[in-house]
Amino acid sequence: MAAPSYSRSPFSLLKRIKLSQSTPLLAQARRAGLANVKDENQTNAFGIAPSSSQPLPPDVARTIETLPVPRAVQAMYLRPLRRTPKYGLPVCNLQLRSYSVRNLDFFADFAMRAAYFLNLPAKGPVPLPRIIERWTVPRSNFAHKKSQENFERRTCRRLIQIQDGNPETVQLWLAYLEKRGYHGVGMKANMWEYEGLDLAKRMDREAKEMQYGVEQEFKRLGLADEHGQELKKKVQNLLGATAEKERQKPEGLSDVSR
Amino acid sequence: MAPKVSKFAPFRSKKLDLGCFVNTLVLRDHTKRKVFEKVEPQRQALRYIIRNTSLPQRMRAQAQLQLTQMHCYTRPTQIKNRCIMAGRGKGILGDFRMSRFQFRLNALAGNIPGVKKASW
């Protein structure tokens, strides 16, 4: 229920007054206090608004209109570019999931472009089969099983595969996608890393080194106290010897001074 | 000083970390979940002793006795999924943790992402 008119603020009354015949969005912005919002129709294709004080000379305006669009901007209107893989080894499988195809396709496109600019050869987006889940529930809160209603949830999926990518770059790509995540789009990635043929030898070597370290540790295990005692004795001996020397030195010095 | 324990609800947790509809039954279920979480390692240890045939028979029998004498709230079978919107214990859709009627209401209201009326 609306509040009585005397309790409404005078500013909310202004909401009902139409200030101009411009577009509703613009009018809304003006009402919200953004007085300097300009009409979008006055800007040209590059989004440059002509200054209100003096219009551009006609030849300058024509030149601006005929300027070539930058290639990076032009590419946004075309299908995403892709790198060709050299070996075709799969390195990462990224699965995008969403309930809305629109968001999903947009984000898949974005991911492809990001992969291109990171120098990653990407395959896809492959449309995977939709997952359709259905639930049937009675319409009423109690009994009346004969009258039921069906609900469903369709999950759309897209697969993007990265081939021959450097694992670090792939992780960077994934992190970037996560940072720029789009609403309502989920991601799941599987990564594979490839090792050289000398992996087994290297692992053996590492195991040996580790074994040595562990043995050194185990030698001291349970002997910490004894070890400490020994060390203490050594320190005492050492300190005792130096103390003796110290004691002897001043005597010698004093002898000299005499 | 030991925390004061209610005479009637000795297991009730001091903090109710619940973000759903609350009634007695939901509270009780919450308590059971908490208790089970706390004693699970102990239960598993006892179960291990009981099933390990290499251990002496006497020890295994004792473990059996101990396990059966634990409070019923420590049993995982006591835990029951309940509707987060209405606290109902029957007709719960596991995907949404809601009872069937609450699911229908919320789905029709568009509160559950992706769920629509189906027709095929």
Side-chain angles (χ1 to χ4, degrees), chain A residues 99 133-143 149-154, chain B residues 88 93 95-96 100-101 103-104 107-108 113-120:
Chain A
Y99 305 130
E133 292 159 286
R134 288 205 179 93
W135 298 273
T136 307
V137 293
R139 273 175 208 270
S140 71
N141 59 344
F142 178 73
E149 206 162 16
N150 293 310
F151 290 94
E152 71 175 358
R153 183 169 66 184
R154 287 165 184 248
Chain B
R88 228 177 102 98
L93 299 182
D95 290 339
F96 307 101
R100 53 182 168 82
F101 189 61
F103 165 72
R104 177 171 172 263
L108 288 177
V115 176
K116 288 175 205 152
K117 270 196 64 140
S119 146
W120 71 95

Side-chain angles (χ1 to χ4, degrees), chain B residues 14-31:
Chain B
K14 293 286 159 296
K15 206 174 97 190
L16 292 182
D17 39 0
L18 281 169
C20 61
F21 177 90
V22 176
N23 64 16
T24 337
L25 298 171
V26 171
L27 266 185
R28 197 174 297 160
D29 185 61
H30 175 258
T31 308

